[in-house]
Amino acid sequence: MAVRDTGTEQMIKDTAKQIFFAEGKFNATTQDIAEAAGVSRTVINYYFRSKDILFQQVFQEAMADTGARMNEVLGAAMPFKKKVIIFIDMFTTELTKYPYKESFLISEINAHGFSLPARDPSPGMEQFLKEIKLASDSGEIKKVLPINFMINILSLVAYPLLTRRLFEQMLELNDTNFEKLMQERKNMIIDILFN
C-alpha cells in the first residue's frame, strides 16, 4: 500500500484556495489547478478522485478556518470595544488577502446546499452575543438585538470587499485608493456601531 504524501495533498488544496479565494476563479478546472500547483491532473485525481471532492474539502476547511478565527477573537477576554475593533481588523485582513473567499462560500452553499456539520454552538459566539446584550443594556452601543449587531458588523465589513471590483469601476478607484478607503472605513464602522 502506497503512503500518501500529505505535503502534496496540502499544496494542492492551498493552490485551489489561492485560485478560488484570491483570484476568484470559481470555475477553474482540475487541469487549471494542476498547472498552478505544478502537478499532473492524475495526481489531483489520486488525492481527491474528483473536482467536487476537492471543492468540498476546500469549502469545509475554509468554513472551519473562518469559524476558528472568529471563535478565537470573539471568545478572548478583553474589553468589548477592543474586541469589536480586533474582529473588524481580522475580518478585513482576511477578506483583503482572499477577496473572493466569502463569495465562494456563499455561492457553494447556494449551489450545492453545503452545510456545516452538526455541532454545539460556538462558545466564542455565545460569549460575544452576551457581551453585545450587556453593551446594549449599558448604552455603550445603540439598543439592538445581539444577532442584528453581529449581522451589522459582518455586513458593514464584508459588503464593500465582496463588491470591490464593482466599486472600483463605478467610482474609478485603483487598488491603492480602495485599500485606503477600507482602512478609513474601519473607523467609520466603529462610529456607526458605538454610541
Side-chain angles (χ1 to χ4, degrees), residues 161-178:
L161 294 165
L162 290 171
T163 57
R164 176 182 184 148
R165 298 300 173 217
L166 174 66
F167 282 132
E168 285 180 340
Q169 288 179 13
M170 275 183 8
L171 304 173
E172 298 179 4
L173 299 169
N174 61 29
D175 283 344
T176 304
N177 289 340
F178 187 85

Side-chain angles (χ1 to χ4, degrees), residues 12 16 28 41 83 86 119 132 138:
I12 292 168
R41 199 171 70 206
K83 185 180 291 192
I86 289 172
R119 60 183 175 80
I132 294 169
S138 72

Side-chain angles (χ1 to χ4, degrees), residues 77-91:
M78 64 179 73
F80 178 71
K81 187 171 186 175
K82 182 177 180 181
K83 185 180 291 192
V84 171
I85 291 167
I86 289 172
F87 179 77
I88 290 169
D89 281 340
M90 179 212 61
F91 212 74

Side-chain angles (χ1 to χ4, degrees), residues 78-123:
M78 64 179 73
F80 178 71
K81 187 171 186 175
K82 182 177 180 181
K83 185 180 291 192
V84 171
I85 291 167
I86 289 172
F87 179 77
I88 290 169
D89 281 340
M90 179 212 61
F91 212 74
T92 302
T93 300
E94 181 73 11
L95 281 175
T96 300
K97 180 179 178 185
Y98 293 121
Y100 301 99
K101 181 178 178 181
E102 300 302 316
S103 296
F104 174 83
L105 297 177
I106 292 164
S107 67
E108 286 302 298
I109 290 168
N110 289 336
H112 303 290
F114 288 139
S115 61
L116 292 173
R119 60 183 175 80
D120 294 330
S122 157

